[in-house]
mmCIF file of all heavy atoms in Angstrom:
data_model
loop_
_atom_site.group_PDB
_atom_site.id
_atom_site.type_symbol
_atom_site.label_atom_id
_atom_site.label_comp_id
_atom_site.label_asym_id
_atom_site.label_seq_id
_atom_site.Cartn_x
_atom_site.Cartn_y
_atom_site.Cartn_z
ATOM 1 N N ILE A 31 35.775 -146.174 -105.157
ATOM 2 C CA ILE A 31 34.382 -146.067 -104.710
ATOM 3 C C ILE A 31 33.799 -144.789 -105.312
ATOM 4 O O ILE A 31 34.430 -143.734 -105.259
ATOM 5 C CB ILE A 31 34.327 -145.997 -103.159
ATOM 6 C CG1 ILE A 31 34.951 -147.235 -102.515
ATOM 7 C CG2 ILE A 31 32.895 -145.758 -102.678
ATOM 8 C CD1 ILE A 31 34.194 -148.534 -102.754
ATOM 9 N N PRO A 32 32.599 -144.846 -105.938
ATOM 10 C CA PRO A 32 32.006 -143.614 -106.452
ATOM 11 C C PRO A 32 31.807 -142.616 -105.308
ATOM 12 O O PRO A 32 31.275 -142.989 -104.260
ATOM 13 C CB PRO A 32 30.662 -144.076 -107.028
ATOM 14 C CG PRO A 32 30.399 -145.433 -106.445
ATOM 15 C CD PRO A 32 31.734 -146.019 -106.133
ATOM 16 N N ARG A 33 32.249 -141.391 -105.524
ATOM 17 C CA ARG A 33 32.112 -140.380 -104.452
ATOM 18 C C ARG A 33 30.655 -140.041 -104.220
ATOM 19 O O ARG A 33 30.217 -139.872 -103.105
ATOM 20 C CB ARG A 33 32.849 -139.071 -104.846
ATOM 21 C CG ARG A 33 34.331 -139.123 -104.741
ATOM 22 C CD ARG A 33 34.882 -137.722 -105.001
ATOM 23 N NE ARG A 33 34.660 -136.834 -103.865
ATOM 24 C CZ ARG A 33 34.679 -135.499 -103.953
ATOM 25 N NH1 ARG A 33 34.858 -134.894 -105.121
ATOM 26 N NH2 ARG A 33 34.498 -134.764 -102.869
ATOM 27 N N HIS A 34 29.926 -139.878 -105.333
ATOM 28 C CA HIS A 34 28.521 -139.467 -105.217
ATOM 29 C C HIS A 34 27.625 -140.493 -105.899
ATOM 30 O O HIS A 34 27.739 -140.735 -107.099
ATOM 31 C CB HIS A 34 28.354 -138.086 -105.884
ATOM 32 C CG HIS A 34 26.990 -137.489 -105.719
ATOM 33 N ND1 HIS A 34 26.687 -136.215 -106.143
ATOM 34 C CD2 HIS A 34 25.835 -137.972 -105.168
ATOM 35 C CE1 HIS A 34 25.409 -135.943 -105.862
ATOM 36 N NE2 HIS A 34 24.879 -137.008 -105.275
ATOM 37 N N VAL A 35 26.756 -141.121 -105.122
ATOM 38 C CA VAL A 35 25.790 -142.083 -105.646
ATOM 39 C C VAL A 35 24.409 -141.442 -105.552
ATOM 40 O O VAL A 35 24.042 -140.902 -104.503
ATOM 41 C CB VAL A 35 25.809 -143.402 -104.834
ATOM 42 C CG1 VAL A 35 24.715 -144.356 -105.317
ATOM 43 C CG2 VAL A 35 27.188 -144.072 -104.929
ATOM 44 N N ALA A 36 23.667 -141.463 -106.663
ATOM 45 C CA ALA A 36 22.313 -140.919 -106.682
ATOM 46 C C ALA A 36 21.352 -142.038 -106.997
ATOM 47 O O ALA A 36 21.631 -142.857 -107.883
ATOM 48 C CB ALA A 36 22.205 -139.800 -107.706
ATOM 49 N N ILE A 37 20.236 -142.104 -106.279
ATOM 50 C CA ILE A 37 19.317 -143.225 -106.483
ATOM 51 C C ILE A 37 17.900 -142.754 -106.758
ATOM 52 O O ILE A 37 17.339 -141.944 -106.016
ATOM 53 C CB ILE A 37 19.295 -144.180 -105.264
ATOM 54 C CG1 ILE A 37 20.711 -144.595 -104.834
ATOM 55 C CG2 ILE A 37 18.430 -145.412 -105.568
ATOM 56 C CD1 ILE A 37 20.759 -145.597 -103.676
ATOM 57 N N ILE A 38 17.323 -143.270 -107.858
ATOM 58 C CA ILE A 38 15.895 -143.090 -108.141
ATOM 59 C C ILE A 38 15.196 -144.270 -107.490
ATOM 60 O O ILE A 38 15.229 -145.399 -107.986
ATOM 61 C CB ILE A 38 15.625 -143.032 -109.660
ATOM 62 C CG1 ILE A 38 16.461 -141.898 -110.308
ATOM 63 C CG2 ILE A 38 14.137 -142.821 -109.929
ATOM 64 C CD1 ILE A 38 16.358 -141.822 -111.830
ATOM 65 N N VAL A 76 31.178 -144.116 -99.475
ATOM 66 C CA VAL A 76 30.566 -143.150 -100.401
ATOM 67 C C VAL A 76 30.509 -141.813 -99.654
ATOM 68 O O VAL A 76 30.206 -141.792 -98.456
ATOM 69 C CB VAL A 76 29.151 -143.635 -100.807
ATOM 70 C CG1 VAL A 76 28.373 -142.567 -101.547
ATOM 71 C CG2 VAL A 76 29.251 -144.921 -101.616
ATOM 72 N N PHE A 78 28.756 -138.896 -100.845
ATOM 73 C CA PHE A 78 27.479 -138.202 -101.058
ATOM 74 C C PHE A 78 26.451 -139.219 -101.535
ATOM 75 O O PHE A 78 26.716 -139.946 -102.503
ATOM 76 C CB PHE A 78 27.610 -137.099 -102.123
ATOM 77 C CG PHE A 78 28.725 -136.133 -101.857
ATOM 78 C CD1 PHE A 78 30.019 -136.388 -102.313
ATOM 79 C CD2 PHE A 78 28.493 -134.962 -101.144
ATOM 80 C CE1 PHE A 78 31.064 -135.505 -102.065
ATOM 81 C CE2 PHE A 78 29.526 -134.067 -100.906
ATOM 82 C CZ PHE A 78 30.801 -134.334 -101.366
ATOM 83 N N LEU A 79 25.306 -139.236 -100.896
ATOM 84 C CA LEU A 79 24.212 -140.111 -101.331
ATOM 85 C C LEU A 79 22.978 -139.251 -101.543
ATOM 86 O O LEU A 79 22.458 -138.643 -100.604
ATOM 87 C CB LEU A 79 23.924 -141.180 -100.254
ATOM 88 C CG LEU A 79 22.758 -142.121 -100.559
ATOM 89 C CD1 LEU A 79 23.058 -143.017 -101.764
ATOM 90 C CD2 LEU A 79 22.440 -143.013 -99.321
ATOM 91 N N THR A 80 22.523 -139.159 -102.816
ATOM 92 C CA THR A 80 21.319 -138.389 -103.116
ATOM 93 C C THR A 80 20.166 -139.340 -103.393
ATOM 94 O O THR A 80 20.305 -140.251 -104.207
ATOM 95 C CB THR A 80 21.560 -137.457 -104.324
ATOM 96 O OG1 THR A 80 22.552 -136.489 -103.979
ATOM 97 C CG2 THR A 80 20.290 -136.735 -104.740
ATOM 98 N N LEU A 81 19.063 -139.137 -102.701
ATOM 99 C CA LEU A 81 17.909 -140.028 -102.838
ATOM 100 C C LEU A 81 16.709 -139.247 -103.379
ATOM 101 O O LEU A 81 16.291 -138.242 -102.779
ATOM 102 C CB LEU A 81 17.566 -140.648 -101.478
ATOM 103 C CG LEU A 81 18.669 -141.493 -100.828
ATOM 104 C CD1 LEU A 81 18.234 -141.978 -99.449
ATOM 105 C CD2 LEU A 81 19.056 -142.683 -101.707
ATOM 106 N N MET A 124 17.324 -131.043 -101.379
ATOM 107 C CA MET A 124 17.319 -130.226 -102.591
ATOM 108 C C MET A 124 15.944 -130.345 -103.263
ATOM 109 O O MET A 124 15.330 -131.383 -103.266
ATOM 110 C CB MET A 124 18.465 -130.583 -103.526
ATOM 111 C CG MET A 124 18.266 -131.770 -104.389
ATOM 112 S SD MET A 124 19.711 -132.000 -105.493
ATOM 113 C CE MET A 124 19.113 -133.460 -106.353
ATOM 114 N N ASN A 154 21.577 -136.537 -99.057
ATOM 115 C CA ASN A 154 20.871 -135.438 -99.710
ATOM 116 C C ASN A 154 19.532 -135.932 -100.234
ATOM 117 O O ASN A 154 19.488 -136.772 -101.125
ATOM 118 C CB ASN A 154 21.777 -134.942 -100.857
ATOM 119 C CG ASN A 154 21.175 -133.794 -101.646
ATOM 120 O OD1 ASN A 154 20.526 -132.920 -101.082
ATOM 121 N ND2 ASN A 154 21.394 -133.812 -102.947
ATOM 122 N N TYR A 159 11.506 -132.256 -106.007
ATOM 123 C CA TYR A 159 12.599 -131.926 -106.901
ATOM 124 C C TYR A 159 12.220 -132.270 -108.346
ATOM 125 O O TYR A 159 11.601 -133.307 -108.608
ATOM 126 C CB TYR A 159 13.866 -132.709 -106.536
ATOM 127 C CG TYR A 159 14.959 -132.513 -107.541
ATOM 128 C CD1 TYR A 159 15.832 -131.445 -107.456
ATOM 129 C CD2 TYR A 159 15.075 -133.380 -108.643
ATOM 130 C CE1 TYR A 159 16.808 -131.231 -108.418
ATOM 131 C CE2 TYR A 159 16.045 -133.175 -109.616
ATOM 132 C CZ TYR A 159 16.906 -132.109 -109.495
ATOM 133 O OH TYR A 159 17.851 -131.891 -110.456
ATOM 134 N N GLU A 164 14.392 -126.987 -111.741
ATOM 135 C CA GLU A 164 15.641 -126.463 -111.213
ATOM 136 C C GLU A 164 16.361 -125.604 -112.250
ATOM 137 O O GLU A 164 16.860 -124.516 -111.943
ATOM 138 C CB GLU A 164 16.503 -127.649 -110.798
ATOM 139 C CG GLU A 164 17.863 -127.320 -110.286
ATOM 140 C CD GLU A 164 18.664 -128.583 -110.023
ATOM 141 O OE1 GLU A 164 18.760 -129.460 -110.922
ATOM 142 O OE2 GLU A 164 19.193 -128.710 -108.936
ATOM 143 N N ASP A 192 26.430 -124.544 -112.138
ATOM 144 C CA ASP A 192 26.556 -125.515 -111.041
ATOM 145 C C ASP A 192 26.251 -124.859 -109.692
ATOM 146 O O ASP A 192 25.530 -125.422 -108.867
ATOM 147 C CB ASP A 192 27.989 -126.069 -110.946
ATOM 148 C CG ASP A 192 28.244 -127.199 -111.933
ATOM 149 O OD1 ASP A 192 27.273 -127.841 -112.348
ATOM 150 O OD2 ASP A 192 29.417 -127.421 -112.290
ATOM 151 N N LEU A 195 22.464 -124.118 -108.990
ATOM 152 C CA LEU A 195 21.455 -125.186 -108.933
ATOM 153 C C LEU A 195 21.281 -125.637 -107.481
ATOM 154 O O LEU A 195 22.108 -125.324 -106.625
ATOM 155 C CB LEU A 195 21.892 -126.373 -109.811
ATOM 156 C CG LEU A 195 21.983 -126.104 -111.309
ATOM 157 C CD1 LEU A 195 22.545 -127.311 -112.038
ATOM 158 C CD2 LEU A 195 20.646 -125.696 -111.905
ATOM 159 N N SER A 197 21.738 -128.379 -106.254
ATOM 160 C CA SER A 197 22.770 -129.354 -105.877
ATOM 161 C C SER A 197 24.109 -128.656 -105.624
ATOM 162 O O SER A 197 25.129 -129.309 -105.459
ATOM 163 C CB SER A 197 22.970 -130.356 -107.016
ATOM 164 O OG SER A 197 23.267 -129.668 -108.216
ATOM 165 N N SER A 198 24.072 -127.333 -105.590
ATOM 166 C CA SER A 198 25.297 -126.546 -105.388
ATOM 167 C C SER A 198 26.122 -127.082 -104.210
ATOM 168 O O SER A 198 25.584 -127.357 -103.147
ATOM 169 C CB SER A 198 24.886 -125.093 -105.138
ATOM 170 O OG SER A 198 25.937 -124.388 -104.584
ATOM 171 N N GLY A 199 27.406 -127.246 -104.449
ATOM 172 C CA GLY A 199 28.275 -127.745 -103.381
ATOM 173 C C GLY A 199 28.512 -129.232 -103.457
ATOM 174 O O GLY A 199 29.415 -129.752 -102.804
ATOM 175 N N LEU A 200 27.704 -129.944 -104.246
ATOM 176 C CA LEU A 200 27.887 -131.386 -104.392
ATOM 177 C C LEU A 200 28.575 -131.653 -105.729
ATOM 178 O O LEU A 200 28.249 -131.010 -106.732
ATOM 179 C CB LEU A 200 26.550 -132.136 -104.403
ATOM 180 C CG LEU A 200 25.555 -131.916 -103.270
ATOM 181 C CD1 LEU A 200 24.316 -132.749 -103.497
ATOM 182 C CD2 LEU A 200 26.184 -132.281 -101.938
ATOM 183 N N PRO A 201 29.489 -132.626 -105.786
ATOM 184 C CA PRO A 201 30.030 -132.997 -107.101
ATOM 185 C C PRO A 201 28.936 -133.697 -107.899
ATOM 186 O O PRO A 201 27.959 -134.171 -107.324
ATOM 187 C CB PRO A 201 31.163 -133.965 -106.741
ATOM 188 C CG PRO A 201 30.815 -134.530 -105.421
ATOM 189 C CD PRO A 201 30.017 -133.479 -104.689
ATOM 190 N N ASP A 202 29.096 -133.781 -109.224
ATOM 191 C CA ASP A 202 28.133 -134.515 -110.038
ATOM 192 C C ASP A 202 28.087 -135.969 -109.602
ATOM 193 O O ASP A 202 29.123 -136.539 -109.207
ATOM 194 C CB ASP A 202 28.530 -134.455 -111.522
ATOM 195 C CG ASP A 202 28.327 -133.061 -112.119
ATOM 196 O OD1 ASP A 202 27.576 -132.268 -111.524
ATOM 197 O OD2 ASP A 202 28.941 -132.788 -113.162
ATOM 198 N N PRO A 203 26.911 -136.625 -109.681
ATOM 199 C CA PRO A 203 26.869 -138.059 -109.328
ATOM 200 C C PRO A 203 27.804 -138.869 -110.218
ATOM 201 O O PRO A 203 27.858 -138.667 -111.429
ATOM 202 C CB PRO A 203 25.409 -138.442 -109.598
ATOM 203 C CG PRO A 203 24.650 -137.167 -109.492
ATOM 204 C CD PRO A 203 25.575 -136.092 -110.011
ATOM 205 N N ASP A 204 28.557 -139.770 -109.611
ATOM 206 C CA ASP A 204 29.383 -140.686 -110.385
ATOM 207 C C ASP A 204 28.558 -141.870 -110.830
ATOM 208 O O ASP A 204 28.754 -142.410 -111.913
ATOM 209 C CB ASP A 204 30.538 -141.190 -109.505
ATOM 210 C CG ASP A 204 31.411 -140.049 -109.050
ATOM 211 O OD1 ASP A 204 32.084 -139.453 -109.904
ATOM 212 O OD2 ASP A 204 31.368 -139.700 -107.846
ATOM 213 N N LEU A 205 27.640 -142.286 -109.960
ATOM 214 C CA LEU A 205 26.841 -143.480 -110.222
ATOM 215 C C LEU A 205 25.378 -143.177 -109.976
ATOM 216 O O LEU A 205 25.010 -142.643 -108.918
ATOM 217 C CB LEU A 205 27.317 -144.593 -109.271
ATOM 218 C CG LEU A 205 26.529 -145.894 -109.235
ATOM 219 C CD1 LEU A 205 26.546 -146.591 -110.597
ATOM 220 C CD2 LEU A 205 27.109 -146.840 -108.161
ATOM 221 N N LEU A 206 24.552 -143.471 -110.976
ATOM 222 C CA LEU A 206 23.108 -143.296 -110.842
ATOM 223 C C LEU A 206 22.447 -144.665 -110.840
ATOM 224 O O LEU A 206 22.662 -145.475 -111.752
ATOM 225 C CB LEU A 206 22.545 -142.474 -112.005
ATOM 226 C CG LEU A 206 21.012 -142.373 -111.985
ATOM 227 C CD1 LEU A 206 20.546 -141.287 -111.049
ATOM 228 C CD2 LEU A 206 20.450 -142.153 -113.383
ATOM 229 N N ILE A 207 21.654 -144.931 -109.810
ATOM 230 C CA ILE A 207 20.957 -146.224 -109.676
ATOM 231 C C ILE A 207 19.468 -145.986 -109.822
ATOM 232 O O ILE A 207 18.929 -145.019 -109.287
ATOM 233 C CB ILE A 207 21.272 -146.822 -108.287
ATOM 234 C CG1 ILE A 207 22.747 -147.171 -108.160
ATOM 235 C CG2 ILE A 207 20.389 -148.051 -108.017
ATOM 236 C CD1 ILE A 207 23.184 -147.619 -106.764
ATOM 237 N N LEU A 215 14.789 -141.361 -116.655
ATOM 238 C CA LEU A 215 15.283 -140.441 -115.648
ATOM 239 C C LEU A 215 14.177 -139.782 -114.844
ATOM 240 O O LEU A 215 14.420 -139.292 -113.738
ATOM 241 C CB LEU A 215 16.139 -139.366 -116.312
ATOM 242 C CG LEU A 215 17.452 -139.900 -116.925
ATOM 243 C CD1 LEU A 215 18.203 -138.781 -117.621
ATOM 244 C CD2 LEU A 215 18.338 -140.546 -115.868
ATOM 245 N N PHE A 218 15.103 -136.363 -113.263
ATOM 246 C CA PHE A 218 16.062 -136.354 -112.150
ATOM 247 C C PHE A 218 17.432 -135.818 -112.579
ATOM 248 O O PHE A 218 18.048 -136.342 -113.485
ATOM 249 C CB PHE A 218 16.201 -137.787 -111.609
ATOM 250 C CG PHE A 218 16.983 -137.891 -110.313
ATOM 251 C CD1 PHE A 218 16.676 -137.084 -109.237
ATOM 252 C CD2 PHE A 218 17.993 -138.811 -110.189
ATOM 253 C CE1 PHE A 218 17.378 -137.203 -108.040
ATOM 254 C CE2 PHE A 218 18.707 -138.935 -109.006
ATOM 255 C CZ PHE A 218 18.403 -138.131 -107.929
ATOM 256 N N MET A 219 17.905 -134.787 -111.952
ATOM 257 C CA MET A 219 19.264 -134.256 -112.081
ATOM 258 C C MET A 219 19.754 -134.177 -113.540
ATOM 259 O O MET A 219 20.861 -134.629 -113.850
ATOM 260 C CB MET A 219 20.226 -135.080 -111.239
ATOM 261 C CG MET A 219 19.868 -135.071 -109.776
ATOM 262 S SD MET A 219 21.108 -135.814 -108.670
ATOM 263 C CE MET A 219 22.097 -134.371 -108.262
ATOM 264 N N LEU A 220 18.929 -133.590 -114.392
ATOM 265 C CA LEU A 220 19.213 -133.601 -115.833
ATOM 266 C C LEU A 220 20.567 -132.965 -116.163
ATOM 267 O O LEU A 220 21.275 -133.431 -117.053
ATOM 268 C CB LEU A 220 18.084 -132.881 -116.572
ATOM 269 C CG LEU A 220 16.691 -133.496 -116.367
ATOM 270 C CD1 LEU A 220 15.639 -132.683 -117.106
ATOM 271 C CD2 LEU A 220 16.673 -134.959 -116.808
ATOM 272 N N TRP A 221 20.900 -131.905 -115.469
ATOM 273 C CA TRP A 221 22.161 -131.213 -115.733
ATOM 274 C C TRP A 221 23.359 -131.988 -115.179
ATOM 275 O O TRP A 221 24.393 -132.142 -115.821
ATOM 276 C CB TRP A 221 22.096 -129.802 -115.091
ATOM 277 C CG TRP A 221 23.404 -129.067 -115.072
ATOM 278 C CD1 TRP A 221 24.337 -129.114 -114.075
ATOM 279 C CD2 TRP A 221 23.914 -128.176 -116.071
ATOM 280 N NE1 TRP A 221 25.400 -128.315 -114.388
ATOM 281 C CE2 TRP A 221 25.172 -127.724 -115.608
ATOM 282 C CE3 TRP A 221 23.454 -127.709 -117.302
ATOM 283 C CZ2 TRP A 221 25.949 -126.837 -116.329
ATOM 284 C CZ3 TRP A 221 24.233 -126.834 -118.027
ATOM 285 C CH2 TRP A 221 25.481 -126.399 -117.542
ATOM 286 N N GLN A 222 23.161 -132.520 -113.964
ATOM 287 C CA GLN A 222 24.298 -133.066 -113.199
ATOM 288 C C GLN A 222 24.739 -134.457 -113.657
ATOM 289 O O GLN A 222 25.843 -134.887 -113.345
ATOM 290 C CB GLN A 222 23.928 -133.143 -111.712
ATOM 291 C CG GLN A 222 23.609 -131.793 -111.068
ATOM 292 C CD GLN A 222 22.138 -131.419 -111.154
ATOM 293 O OE1 GLN A 222 21.412 -131.898 -112.037
ATOM 294 N NE2 GLN A 222 21.703 -130.535 -110.279
ATOM 295 N N ILE A 223 23.881 -135.204 -114.357
ATOM 296 C CA ILE A 223 24.248 -136.592 -114.661
ATOM 297 C C ILE A 223 24.849 -136.749 -116.068
ATOM 298 O O ILE A 223 24.909 -137.857 -116.593
ATOM 299 C CB ILE A 223 23.049 -137.555 -114.522
ATOM 300 C CG1 ILE A 223 21.930 -137.121 -115.424
ATOM 301 C CG2 ILE A 223 22.586 -137.677 -113.089
ATOM 302 C CD1 ILE A 223 20.852 -138.152 -115.545
ATOM 303 N N ALA A 224 25.343 -135.604 -116.613
ATOM 304 C CA ALA A 224 25.884 -135.624 -117.970
ATOM 305 C C ALA A 224 26.872 -136.766 -118.185
ATOM 306 O O ALA A 224 26.885 -137.401 -119.249
ATOM 307 C CB ALA A 224 26.550 -134.279 -118.280
ATOM 308 N N TYR A 225 27.706 -137.064 -117.194
ATOM 309 C CA TYR A 225 28.708 -138.127 -117.343
ATOM 310 C C TYR A 225 28.625 -139.185 -116.232
ATOM 311 O O TYR A 225 29.609 -139.862 -115.950
ATOM 312 C CB TYR A 225 30.114 -137.540 -117.474
ATOM 313 C CG TYR A 225 30.436 -137.249 -118.922
ATOM 314 C CD1 TYR A 225 30.447 -135.957 -119.423
ATOM 315 C CD2 TYR A 225 30.656 -138.317 -119.814
ATOM 316 C CE1 TYR A 225 30.699 -135.703 -120.764
ATOM 317 C CE2 TYR A 225 30.904 -138.064 -121.153
ATOM 318 C CZ TYR A 225 30.921 -136.772 -121.616
ATOM 319 O OH TYR A 225 31.182 -136.533 -122.937
ATOM 320 N N SER A 226 27.440 -139.340 -115.639
ATOM 321 C CA SER A 226 27.277 -140.378 -114.601
ATOM 322 C C SER A 226 27.190 -141.751 -115.250
ATOM 323 O O SER A 226 26.722 -141.891 -116.376
ATOM 324 C CB SER A 226 25.989 -140.132 -113.804
ATOM 325 O OG SER A 226 25.977 -138.832 -113.285
ATOM 326 N N GLU A 227 27.621 -142.751 -114.520
ATOM 327 C CA GLU A 227 27.420 -144.144 -114.945
ATOM 328 C C GLU A 227 26.064 -144.604 -114.418
ATOM 329 O O GLU A 227 25.716 -144.333 -113.273
ATOM 330 C CB GLU A 227 28.526 -145.036 -114.377
ATOM 331 C CG GLU A 227 29.920 -144.688 -114.880
ATOM 332 C CD GLU A 227 30.079 -144.916 -116.380
ATOM 333 O OE1 GLU A 227 29.421 -145.817 -116.926
ATOM 334 O OE2 GLU A 227 30.864 -144.165 -117.009
ATOM 335 N N PHE A 228 25.310 -145.317 -115.264
ATOM 336 C CA PHE A 228 23.972 -145.766 -114.865
ATOM 337 C C PHE A 228 23.967 -147.249 -114.499
ATOM 338 O O PHE A 228 24.651 -148.056 -115.146
ATOM 339 C CB PHE A 228 22.970 -145.592 -116.022
ATOM 340 C CG PHE A 228 22.667 -144.149 -116.370
ATOM 341 C CD1 PHE A 228 23.318 -143.088 -115.785
ATOM 342 C CD2 PHE A 228 21.670 -143.872 -117.311
ATOM 343 C CE1 PHE A 228 23.005 -141.763 -116.108
ATOM 344 C CE2 PHE A 228 21.353 -142.571 -117.646
ATOM 345 C CZ PHE A 228 22.014 -141.508 -117.058
ATOM 346 N N TYR A 250 30.180 -150.462 -111.630
ATOM 347 C CA TYR A 250 30.795 -149.128 -111.818
ATOM 348 C C TYR A 250 32.313 -149.265 -111.966
ATOM 349 O O TYR A 250 32.925 -148.629 -112.832
ATOM 350 C CB TYR A 250 30.443 -148.245 -110.608
ATOM 351 C CG TYR A 250 31.206 -146.953 -110.531
ATOM 352 C CD1 TYR A 250 30.759 -145.820 -111.228
ATOM 353 C CD2 TYR A 250 32.364 -146.838 -109.768
ATOM 354 C CE1 TYR A 250 31.450 -144.621 -111.155
ATOM 355 C CE2 TYR A 250 33.065 -145.654 -109.708
ATOM 356 C CZ TYR A 250 32.610 -144.549 -110.383
ATOM 357 O OH TYR A 250 33.309 -143.371 -110.305
ATOM 358 N N ARG A 255 35.512 -144.709 -117.759
ATOM 359 C CA ARG A 255 34.904 -143.381 -117.934
ATOM 360 C C ARG A 255 35.805 -142.577 -118.853
ATOM 361 O O ARG A 255 36.957 -142.300 -118.523
ATOM 362 C CB ARG A 255 34.707 -142.693 -116.581
ATOM 363 C CG ARG A 255 33.833 -143.535 -115.657
ATOM 364 C CD ARG A 255 33.580 -142.842 -114.357
ATOM 365 N NE ARG A 255 32.561 -141.794 -114.459
ATOM 366 C CZ ARG A 255 32.211 -141.004 -113.465
ATOM 367 N NH1 ARG A 255 32.824 -141.097 -112.297
ATOM 368 N NH2 ARG A 255 31.260 -140.113 -113.623
ATOM 369 N N TYR A 257 34.729 -139.623 -120.746
ATOM 370 C CA TYR A 257 34.347 -138.212 -120.845
ATOM 371 C C TYR A 257 34.571 -137.673 -122.265
ATOM 372 O O TYR A 257 34.991 -136.523 -122.446
ATOM 373 C CB TYR A 257 35.143 -137.352 -119.844
ATOM 374 C CG TYR A 257 34.905 -137.783 -118.405
ATOM 375 C CD1 TYR A 257 35.790 -138.638 -117.744
ATOM 376 C CD2 TYR A 257 33.778 -137.334 -117.709
ATOM 377 C CE1 TYR A 257 35.582 -139.022 -116.429
ATOM 378 C CE2 TYR A 257 33.559 -137.730 -116.398
ATOM 379 C CZ TYR A 257 34.467 -138.567 -115.767
ATOM 380 O OH TYR A 257 34.254 -138.943 -114.458
#
Side-chain angles (χ1 to χ4, degrees):
I31 301 293
R33 284 187 75 201
H34 186 175
V35 175
I37 309 183
I38 303 175
V76 169
F78 307 88
L79 177 66
T80 295
L81 300 176
M124 80 178 181
N154 180 37
Y159 173 86
E164 177 185 51
D192 278 337
L195 296 175
S197 56
S198 164
L200 307 180
D202 289 341
D204 299 292
L205 173 61
L206 174 82
I207 294 173
L215 294 176
F218 190 50
M219 300 189 91
L220 301 178
W221 170 270
Q222 298 89 338
I223 58 168
Y225 271 106
S226 305
E227 296 296 329
F228 291 6
Y250 169 85
R255 302 183 78 184
Y257 300 97

